[in-house]
Amino acid sequence: MANKRVYLFREGDKSQRDLLGGKGANLAEMTNIGLPVPPGFTITTEVCTEYYATGKQLPEGLYAEMEAAITDIEASEGKKLGDPTNPLLLSVRSGAKFSMPGMMDTVLNLGLNDEVAAAMVAAGADKRFIYDSYRRLIMMLSDVAFSDKNHAISKHGFEKLFYDLKAKLGVSNDLDVTGDQLEQLCMDYIKYLKDLSGIDFPQDSRVQLKEAVEAVFRSWNNDRAIIYRRREKIDDAIGTAVNVQAMVFGNMGDDCGTGVAFTRNAANGENHVFGEYLMNAQGEDVVAGVRTPMPISELEAQNPAIYAEFDKTCKILEDHYKDMQDIEFTIERNKLYILQCRSGKRTGTAAVKIAVDMVAEGRISKQEAVTRVAPDLLNQVLLPVIAPGTKYETIAKGLPAGPGAATGIAIFDAHRAAELGKGGQGQRVILVRADTSPDDLGGMLAAQGVLTERGGMTSHAALVARGFGIPTVAGCSEISVDATNRQFTTKDGRVVKEGDFISLNGTQGEVIIGQVPVEDAKMTGDFGTFMGWADEFRTMGVRTNADTPGDVAKAIALGAEGVGLCRTEHMFFEEDRRPIVVNMILDIDNAETRKAALAKLLEFQREDFRGIFAALNGLPATIRLIDPPLHEFLPNLVELTAEVATLEATGKPVGDKERILKAAESMHEINPMLGLRGCRLSIVYPEIVEMQTRAILEGAAAVIKAGGKAVPEIMIPLVGHVNELKVVKAALEATAKAVVEEQGVEIPYSFGTMIEVPRGALTADEIAVEAEFFSFGTNDLTQMTFGFSRDDSDKFLKPYVEQKILPGDPFESIDQTGVGLLMEMAIEKAKKVRPNIKLGICGEHGGEPESVKYCHKIGLNYVSCSPFRVPIARLAAAQAAIGKGAADK
Ligand code: PEP
Ligand code: MG
C-alpha cells in the first residue's frame, strides 16, 4: 500500500519536517500544544516527488485521503466546502523542509464561487468583503494554476482590470470600490479569463482545490524557486508539501488584522517581540506595501487583550522550541489565530546574542548554543556593514569575494588609488580594475573596496581582499572596465566615470551607485563569550594565513593559534623592496647582481620575520619560501608593450621601460601557474631561498635572544617529486645549520612541504620521509586536480554550477570526492612512514565551514585561513567536533 499521503495537523509533529515540510510540521506541533491554529491538513512531500515521477499527475489515492481530511475540518468548523448556506473556505500554501519565503504559490479564499458568494451576501455577510475575497481567488488561482496552460494569463492582467476600474470611478483606494462594483469586477475577471484562454473559471470547489494543489507542486520548479534553492544550496529533490487550512480573515473589519512577528529582535537579538501588523488587512497587503504596517508595540495600546494573548503565545513557542520564532498571525473578530511559526532568520549579531542569552536563561546548553549559529553568519559580526534600513540602487552583481561594505570614489588604477586613498590623501576610494595582480596591492590596500570585472573566489583580488578584510566584488562580468578612458559601463549602458561615488556590498556581491552609510563592526562581549564556548568543544587547531606582524596580531586577537601560511613573496611587494626585486630580475642570470640584491632584501626580511615571531610570542609559524613566478613582480606585459610602443611612436624618452619590457618578455610564460615557480624557482635560483631561510632563522634568533620564543616551520611549496624536496631541503639545511652556529642559540625549526601538486599527494609516503609536516595547498591542488585555472575559471564555473555539472565552486568548498580523495590518500600514506606527521591546510578552503568540517573528519591537526575568517573556522571546527551544525536554512 502507498504511504499515507495526507496528515491532519493533529496527526503530525515537529520532527516530521522531511515529510510534512517545515510549515506543516510546525502547524502540527502548534496544534498539539493547544495553540489556536485553524484546522487543516498537510499533503506530504512524497506526493510532490510522486507528482513529478509520474509526469505531473496527482496520484489517484490522494483524493480519497483529502476527502476524509476535509470532512474532519468540516466537522470541527461546522461548515461545508461548497455549501452555499454555510461554506467552508480554505487556503492552500506551499511548505518545503526549508523555508523559501515568497518563492512558491499560495491560493486563498478557495471555496468561493458565484453561488456561494451570492448566498453569503444574502445571509448578511459584507458584500464588499465577499466580492473582494472572490476577486482575489479568481486572480490567484488563474495566475498560479492556469498560466502554465496559457502563458498570456498573469496576475498583472487582472490587476490592470482593477486599476482601470478604479481609474474609471475616479478613486485610488481599493476600499472606495463598492461591493456592487466588485461583484461586477468578479464577472469581468471570469469573462477576461474565458476570452483570453477559453478556460471557464471552476465553480466546483473540489476542482479549485485540485488545481491549487497541483499549482503549488508545480511552483516547486518555477524559476525563482530554482534560483533560491541554488543560492541556499537546498536539494532540488526534496520537494514541497502542501498545507490546506480553514481560512481566517484579517480583513473583515476593524476588529480584524494580520501581522508577522519575531519573538526577539532579528537584527540585534534583543529580547523583545519585534514585528509589524495591520488592522483590517490580509497578509498580502502587508507584503505589497499598499499600506504601512504598524510596529507590534502599538497593538498593546490598541488591543491589550489580544496583545497579552499574543505575547503569551510567543513565550509558549519559545519555551517549546527553545529558539527565536518567526510567527504569522491573524486576528478575526477579536480572536487570535497562529498561522505559522518557524525558527526565525537573524543576523550574525542577533544569532550570537540570542544563543548566549538562551544559555543564561537556562533554555539551552552551551553545546547547543554553539550549534545554533551558522559559521558564515559571523562574517556579519566582524565586518563593516551598510547601515541597516538603508535604501540603495544596485547597478551590477558579481562574486561576493570579500565581505563587508565600502563606499568611495571609483578609481581605475592602483597607483592613483594609493595616492588618493588610505596612507595617501586619505580619501575614500574604490579601486576598479578589469582584474588585479600583485602589482595592484598598494592600491588595493589604500582602497575601501575593490571591484574587478574578472577573477573568481580564489583570484588574487579575492585572496587579498579576505586576507586584509577589504570588501570586494570580483568576477563582476556585468560591468565592462575601460581603464584607458577611466570608466566602466554596466550591461544596461550606465557609465560610471573616475571620481563618481560607488559603493560595494561585498557580502552580497552588489555594486551600488552613490554613497551609502557604512557602520563598523562591533565586537560585543557576547561574541567573546560565544567563541570561548566554541573553543571548549573544538579539537582541531586554527591558524592564520598572514604575512605581516600587524595581520598576525589581528588574527591572534581573533583567536588564531599560530601562522599556517606566511606567503613571503608578499613582503617583496612593499614600496621599499619592489625596486630591489625588479633590479634583481632585470639581471637575474648575473650571480653578482642577484647576490647584491638579496643581501639588501635579507635586511628587510630578517626584520619582517623578527616582527612576526615577536607578535606570535611562541606560537608556531609556517613560513613558505618564495612561490610565484617572477614575472608577477614586473608590470603587466601587454600594458608595458603598449606603453613602450606609444613612447616610441611619439618620440618620448623610453628610459628604463625598454629593459623592463625585455625582462618581462623573457619571464613571460604561456601558463605561468605551471611554470617556473615554487620549489622549481628554488632549484633554479637557490640564492633566493637561502636568503629567506637565513632571514627566517636570524629573525627567530633575534626574538629568542631577547628572551622570547620562536617556532619556525620552513615550508617548501609545489613539491611533486620527493627529489625536489630533497634537493631544496639539503641546500637549506646547510644554511640553517650555519645560522644556528653563528647565532649560538637553539632554534626549534622544522622543514616541511605543501601538498598542492597531485603527484605530491600520490607519493606522499616518499615525501613524508623528508617532510616533518604537510600543509595542503588546496587552491593549487584543486586547480591541478581539475585542470581548472584558478584565475580564469569564473567564466565556466558559474554555468557549471547552474547546470549542476558541479554541485558548487570547488575553489570555494573542497571537492571532497576528488580533491578530498587525494588528501585522504596522502594522509594515509604519510602516516605509514611518519605516524605523528603534523597535518594542516592553508588553501582558501581553510576558512570555509563545510571544508573545515571535512578537515576535522579526515584528521587534520589544524586549518589555516585569513585573519577575518579565524572565528568562522573556530566555530565550524567546534560544530564538527560536536557533530552538528545550525540545521535550519
Ligand atoms: C594553495 O595553493 O592552496 C596555497 C595556499 O598557495 P597559493 O594560494 O599561494 O598558491
Ligand atoms: Mg599554492
Side-chain angles (χ1 to χ4, degrees):
M1 200 189 115
N3 290 341
K4 181 173 167 64
R5 295 187 173 102
V6 170
Y7 285 71
L8 288 163
F9 290 165
R10 65 168 183 274
E11 292 175 327
D13 67 61
K14 69 173 186 211
S15 71
Q16 292 173 297
R17 291 166 51 102
D18 286 330
L19 187 68
L20 304 179
K23 187 191 289 247
N26 284 335
L27 283 167
E29 188 75 14
M30 289 194 293
T31 302
N32 289 329
I33 60 172
L35 291 179
V37 175
F41 61 87
T42 303
I43 304 172
T44 67
T45 55
E46 286 173 356
V47 179
C48 184
T49 314
E50 224 178 325
Y51 176 73
Y52 280 105
T54 53
K56 298 196 191 168
Q57 297 293 324
L58 289 179
E60 245 336 285
L62 177 65
Y63 299 107
E65 285 192 51
M66 274 167 58
E67 272 311 318
I70 289 167
T71 307
D72 195 278
I73 304 176
E74 287 173 339
S76 67
E77 291 287 277
K79 295 173 177 173
K80 270 188 151 2
L81 185 65
D83 177 355
T85 57
N86 189 19
L88 172 69
L89 302 185
L90 297 172
S91 68
V92 179
R93 292 185 167 94
S94 60
K97 177 176 180 185
F98 302 111
S99 82
M100 295 170 52
M103 297 300 128
M104 289 183 280
D105 291 331
T106 293
V107 179
L108 304 178
N109 311 332
L110 198 142
L112 278 174
N113 57 26
D114 296 352
E115 194 190 354
V116 169
M120 287 176 89
V121 174
D126 178 65
K127 185 164 190 180
R128 194 190 172 283
F129 164 71
I130 293 295
Y131 282 101
D132 189 45
S133 303
Y134 190 24
R135 169 188 82 78
R136 290 174 196 249
L137 168 68
I138 301 166
M139 175 169 74
M140 278 188 268
L141 192 64
S142 303
D143 180 40
V144 306
F146 307 136
S147 59
D148 216 46
K149 297 171 188 145
N150 186 316
H151 295 302
I153 302 170
S154 88
K155 202 170 173 172
H156 306 296
F158 293 95
E159 271 165 351
K160 182 161 186 315
L161 288 183
F162 191 24
Y163 179 86
D164 290 347
L165 171 64
K166 283 187 284 183
K168 201 173 101 192
L169 298 172
V171 299
S172 59
N173 193 329
D174 291 7
L175 296 173
D176 293 332
V177 184
T178 66
D180 288 338
Q181 288 158 345
L182 283 169
E183 180 183 9
Q184 182 55 48
L185 183 66
C186 289
M187 302 309 119
D188 292 346
Y189 272 14
I190 289 172
K191 182 170 180 310
Y192 170 73
L193 176 69
K194 176 82 181 169
D195 291 349
L196 193 66
S197 62
I199 296 171
D200 289 307
F201 182 77
Q203 295 289 320
D204 180 336
S205 315
R206 260 90 188 156
V207 176
Q208 292 176 357
L209 183 58
K210 174 182 170 297
E211 293 287 359
V213 169
E214 268 201 74
V216 171
F217 283 144
R218 274 200 308 272
S219 69
W220 175 250
N221 275 334
N222 69 28
D223 291 346
R224 59 180 195 276
I226 291 173
I227 292 167
Y228 185 88
R229 286 199 293 274
R230 203 164 285 150
R231 251 197 57 177
E232 295 290 304
K233 302 200 167 70
I234 297 172
D235 185 355
D236 287 331
I238 61 174
T240 182
V242 180
N243 298 292
V244 179
Q245 190 173 23
M247 280 294 300
V248 282
F249 293 94
N251 56 342
M252 284 168 83
D254 291 336
D255 53 358
C256 304
T258 187
V260 178
F262 293 85
T263 53
R264 302 193 184 209
N265 187 313
N268 62 23
E270 280 170 10
N271 188 2
H272 57 77
V273 176
F274 166 84
E276 293 176 328
Y277 76 106
L278 264 176
M279 293 311 277
N280 198 7
Q282 265 198 326
E284 59 176 1
D285 298 333
V286 183
V287 183
V290 191
R291 289 161 57 196
T292 312
M294 319 255 274
I296 201 87
S297 50
E298 299 275 320
L299 184 61
E300 194 170 7
Q302 201 174 19
N303 196 331
I306 286 281
Y307 182 80
E309 198 190 342
F310 179 70
D311 196 48
K312 192 173 123 209
T313 306
C314 288
K315 294 208 167 66
I316 293 173
L317 283 171
E318 269 213 355
D319 281 342
H320 189 74
Y321 282 97
K322 302 192 187 329
D323 195 8
M324 183 261 258
Q325 295 295 301
D326 164 356
I327 301 168
E328 280 179 26
F329 64 95
T330 285
I331 303 162
E332 185 185 275
R333 300 237 180 275
N334 268 330
K335 178 160 170 32
L336 177 73
Y337 292 94
I338 307 296
L339 297 185
Q340 170 164 316
C341 83
R342 62 187 170 202
S343 162
K345 286 216 193 311
R346 61 204 83 179
T347 65
T349 310
V352 169
K353 177 162 171 55
I354 291 170
V356 171
D357 284 355
M358 287 206 165
V359 172
E361 292 158 19
R363 288 178 201 271
I364 58 174
S365 66
K366 285 186 198 174
Q367 174 167 329
E368 180 64 29
V370 168
T371 65
R372 283 289 174 87
V373 180
D376 271 338
L377 275 185
L378 296 184
N379 264 330
Q380 300 172 2
V381 185
L382 290 163
L383 287 157
V385 290
I386 297 178
T390 305
K391 291 213 163 42
Y392 55 80
E393 187 191 347
T394 302
I395 54 169
K397 287 204 92 179
L399 295 171
T407 198
I409 51 170
I411 295 293
F412 290 80
D413 76 282
H415 191 68
R416 185 138 180 79
E419 236 169 58
L420 296 180
K422 284 183 254 176
Q425 294 176 20
Q427 293 190 43
R428 289 177 307 159
V429 308
I430 304 282
L431 177 63
V432 185
R433 299 283 290 153
D435 50 33
T436 65
S437 73
D439 208 27
D440 295 327
L441 189 65
M444 293 175 76
L445 291 174
Q448 306 291 321
V450 174
L451 167 62
T452 73
E453 182 183 334
R454 294 192 286 270
M457 294 294 285
T458 60
S459 65
H460 179 256
L463 217 106
V464 173
R466 279 195 293 277
F468 293 100
I470 307 169
T472 295
V473 177
C476 183
S477 49
E478 293 183 8
I479 63 166
S480 147
V481 174
D482 177 354
T484 319
N485 291 309
R486 299 184 167 273
Q487 61 181 41
F488 73 80
T489 311
T490 63
K491 68 173 190 245
D492 48 14
R494 189 168 195 148
V495 178
V496 173
K497 293 190 181 310
E498 182 144 293
D500 290 352
F501 268 102
I502 57 168
S503 302
L504 302 177
N505 180 352
T507 313
Q508 303 289 345
E510 293 167 333
V511 183
I512 297 157
I513 194 75
Q515 302 188 61
V516 293
V518 169
E519 287 184 359
D520 258 350
K522 292 181 189 71
M523 266 272 209
T524 63
D526 287 335
F527 185 55
T529 308
F530 179 78
M531 291 312 300
W533 295 343
D535 288 345
E536 285 175 26
F537 296 100
R538 176 166 64 88
T539 54
M540 185 169 62
V542 176
R543 296 194 188 185
T544 189
N545 293 359
D547 318 320
T548 63
D551 273 347
V552 170
K554 202 184 296 167
I556 289 177
L558 294 173
E561 296 157 319
V563 166
L565 174 64
C566 171
R567 291 179 164 102
T568 50
E569 63 270 13
H570 284 179
M571 299 165 170
F572 290 165
F573 286 114
E574 283 174 32
E575 284 304 299
D576 43 359
R577 299 126 192 237
R578 263 297 279 285
I580 308 174
V581 178
V582 172
N583 260 330
M584 177 180 78
I585 297 172
L586 288 182
D587 215 359
I588 190 81
D589 293 324
N590 179 335
E592 285 314 305
T593 324
R594 244 169 26 223
K595 283 202 176 114
L598 289 168
K600 286 191 203 151
L601 288 171
L602 173 64
E603 301 297 315
F604 287 115
Q605 289 233 290
R606 182 193 300 121
E607 186 46 31
D608 290 337
F609 294 130
R610 197 203 55 73
I612 287 176
F613 289 126
L616 279 169
N617 200 15
L619 295 172
T622 306
I623 299 175
R624 185 182 69 184
L625 302 174
I626 190 166
D627 181 48
L630 293 180
H631 77 86
E632 287 203 7
F633 297 98
L634 299 174
N636 176 292
L637 180 60
V638 179
E639 284 173 15
L640 197 59
T641 311
E643 206 181 325
V644 171
T646 316
L647 290 173
E648 279 171 355
T650 53
K652 293 198 179 125
V654 176
D656 231 12
K657 294 260 157 68
E658 187 80 56
R659 272 184 80 208
I660 298 180
L661 176 60
K662 287 237 154 55
E665 278 167 351
S666 81
M667 290 285 159
H668 178 70
E669 294 180 339
I670 300 299
N671 189 339
M673 275 306 187
L674 300 178
L676 182 57
R677 60 171 289 219
C679 61
R680 306 160 199 171
L681 204 52
S682 312
I683 291 169
V684 178
Y685 302 116
E687 295 90 344
I688 303 178
V689 289
E690 276 165 28
M691 178 281 285
Q692 292 196 309
T693 306
R694 176 166 283 279
I696 294 167
L697 296 176
E698 287 182 0
V703 169
I704 294 169
K705 283 181 185 171
K709 275 189 178 170
V711 187
E713 299 166 344
I714 300 175
M715 181 155 77
I716 296 160
L718 225 70
V719 168
H721 194 291
V722 66
N723 287 346
E724 292 175 311
L725 182 58
K726 274 188 190 161
V727 169
V728 179
K729 190 179 143 191
L732 298 186
E733 260 178 342
T735 309
K737 285 211 175 79
V739 177
V740 170
E741 254 168 47
E742 285 159 28
Q743 297 291 322
V745 286
E746 272 300 306
I747 309 172
Y749 69 85
S750 54
F751 276 106
T753 183
M754 295 192 69
I755 296 292
E756 53 182 344
V757 173
R759 195 184 184 283
L762 294 169
T763 58
D765 45 353
E766 293 178 11
I767 292 175
V769 174
E770 300 294 328
E772 289 164 86
F773 61 86
F774 279 0
S775 179
F776 287 98
T778 42
N779 300 335
D780 274 310
L781 194 58
T782 301
Q783 164 165 268
M784 293 186 224
T785 302
F786 275 98
F788 290 169
S789 156
R790 54 197 269 201
D791 293 304
D792 304 307
S793 51
D794 55 307
K795 292 190 197 86
F796 56 86
L797 275 181
K798 205 166 158 219
Y800 265 41
V801 174
E802 273 167 14
Q803 293 171 36
K804 296 198 195 131
I805 294 168
L806 291 178
D809 181 341
F811 289 107
E812 214 179 301
S813 189
I814 290 180
D815 157 46
Q816 299 181 11
T817 30
V819 175
L821 182 65
L822 282 172
M823 293 171 74
E824 289 174 40
M825 278 174 59
I827 293 169
E828 200 191 317
K829 280 169 169 277
K831 284 202 165 162
K832 283 206 178 113
V833 295
R834 197 186 281 270
N836 290 325
I837 188 165
K838 197 188 300 177
L839 299 166
I841 177 175
C842 61
E844 282 298 288
H845 305 90
E848 188 277 324
E850 282 315 306
S851 308
V852 172
K853 290 179 186 174
Y854 175 68
C855 291
H856 171 92
K857 191 178 115 194
I858 63 175
L860 296 195
N861 299 97
Y862 69 86
V863 294
S864 186
C865 57
S866 316
F868 284 97
R869 291 169 98 185
V870 165
I872 296 172
R874 284 163 68 196
L875 179 55
Q879 292 182 352
I882 294 167
K884 188 161 131 195
D888 275 305
K889 282 264 183 335

